[in-house]
Amino acid sequence: MSASWSLVIHGGAGRITRDVLTTEQDAGARAGLDAALKAGAAVLAGGGEALDAVEAAVRVLEDDPHFNAGRGACFTREGTNELDAAIMDGRDRRAGSVAGVTRTRHPVSLARAVMTASPHVLLAGAGADRFAIEQGLEQVDPAWFHTDERRRQLDELLSRGADAFDSDMKYGTVGAVACDMQGHVAAATSTGGVTGKRWGRIGDSPLIGAGTYADDRACAVSCTGSGEVFIRVGVGHEIAARRRFTGDSIQQAADAVLAEVRDLGGTGGTIVAAPDGSIAWSMTTAGMYRGRATSGGEHRVAIYADEG
Ligand code: ASP
């Protein structure tokens, strides 16, 4: 066991530039990221598990209306919120995820319950909602998730016509990856998906190997971006595979796989943590809400790509 640990979080990637965000949005998002980093770092600094740290960080972001997860989730075409989340443990690659849940305040904790209290990996829709009640997870009125800004984004999309679909109209899927003092990694991701989604659309976030992946033999990964392309590339697993089978660092692996996403017409970002304590983030977008903290004293949040 070493005394070192590391944590990286994201709050979504996209066309996020200084002229798009208001001062309040910029400051509010930074404060939210800072609070999430602190929650995850407290677990790790106390000798806790990476799995607990990523869940703790994501729960903070799910409650923060600045991000597209839990409260503040984007709206479906019908004006509802359907939430997706996943969590994965690098020790044994156990994983749990949920898609299209409507009443659970913390979808990431429901994903963890799927992992620990069911024989399954992915539960969806009404069944997942029922499982949440059976597990005693906190349920809320769906209005809890609503914000005026997400409603405005839906109205704008609908005004463009029946077939409008803009995967850039969201920002704010959240995720965390961590390495604990025992050298184990974990990943978690939570999202409302994309504005105006319909037909039970599910993105990459709850799909193990796409938006979320963790393997102690390689690294832990959480993604945000054009979900359909991230699914086709299998981004999370692909980054881990490159790390295992090539000489790539996690930074090289993340950059290479995001270049593949870009070649297929997708955009987005990813965060990565490896069992040796190294961490990375990568994006093809103008910005990604993000933060990193380590036992070495690093603790910083950033939004725009040029913040390094
Ligand atoms: N990847 C998410 C999805 O497709 C959206 C996002 O990250 O903004 O559901």
Side-chain angles (χ1 to χ4, degrees):
M1 178 171 128
S2 81
S4 68
W5 54 264
S6 50
L7 171 70
V8 194
I9 60 172
H10 72 77
R15 233 186 290 124
I16 308 166
T17 53
R18 288 181 178 81
D19 54 319
V20 168
L21 293 194
T22 64
T23 311
E24 190 286 325
Q25 284 169 327
D26 180 299
R30 285 180 199 271
L33 291 166
D34 187 59
L37 263 188
K38 284 187 176 131
V43 173
L44 295 165
E49 295 182 356
L51 196 63
D52 291 326
V54 294
E55 182 184 6
V58 167
R59 282 173 65 97
V60 171
L61 295 169
E62 285 178 335
D63 270 353
D64 189 322
H66 291 94
F67 302 100
N68 172 19
R71 192 157 184 228
C74 63
F75 283 95
T76 65
R77 186 159 294 248
E78 288 76 33
T80 60
N81 301 112
E82 296 178 359
L83 311 168
D84 303 337
I87 193 163
M88 187 161 184
D89 187 342
R91 284 175 293 200
D92 49 10
R93 281 170 284 156
R94 282 199 309 163
S97 62
V98 290
V101 297
T102 59
R103 288 184 168 270
T104 300
R105 177 170 172 182
H106 290 294
V108 69
S109 297
L110 179 54
R112 186 160 180 178
V114 172
M115 179 175 91
T116 55
S118 90
H120 307 300
V121 170
L122 171 58
L123 299 182
D129 280 338
R130 218 163 47 238
F131 179 73
I133 294 167
E134 286 173 22
Q135 289 299 309
L137 286 155
E138 183 178 352
Q139 302 295 291
V140 291
D141 187 297
W144 162 259
F145 301 117
H146 296 183
T147 63
D148 292 345
E149 171 59 12
R150 296 296 180 199
R151 166 62 68 179
R152 188 198 63 70
Q153 291 177 355
L154 175 64
D155 292 343
E156 188 189 321
L157 186 84
L158 294 178
S159 73
R160 291 195 215 153
D163 291 330
F165 176 75
D166 184 352
S167 65
D168 231 5
M169 275 197 68
K170 22 78 191 160
Y171 311 147
T173 289
V174 309
V177 293
C179 175
D180 61 29
M181 287 187 196
Q182 285 72 37
H184 300 305
V185 295
T189 312
S190 183
T191 188
V194 289
T195 299
K197 66 184 184 180
R198 56 181 160 165
W199 306 311
R201 181 267 187 192
I202 297 166
D204 59 313
S205 309
L207 300 186
I208 300 305
T212 308
Y213 198 67
D215 181 349
D216 270 4
R217 298 171 302 174
C219 53
V221 183
S222 173
C223 301
T224 171
S226 327
E228 280 67 14
V229 182
F230 278 68
I231 293 170
R232 288 160 55 204
V233 172
V235 171
H237 187 271
E238 189 73 8
I239 291 173
R242 284 190 83 103
R243 171 73 183 151
R244 278 181 71 204
F245 300 128
T246 75
D248 277 4
S249 67
I250 53 172
Q251 187 70 57
Q252 289 166 331
D255 292 347
V257 177
L258 283 191
E260 262 186 64
V261 168
R262 194 183 46 222
D263 290 346
L264 295 180
T267 61
T270 188
I271 53 173
V272 190
D276 65 2
S278 60
I279 50 180
W281 57 42
S282 183
M283 76 202 84
T284 65
T285 47
M288 177 166 76
Y289 299 109
R290 59 202 188 277
R292 54 203 282 170
T294 66
S295 49
E298 187 178 4
H299 181 106
R300 74 180 173 109
V301 301
I303 298 181
Y304 312 108
D306 62 14
E307 287 181 84

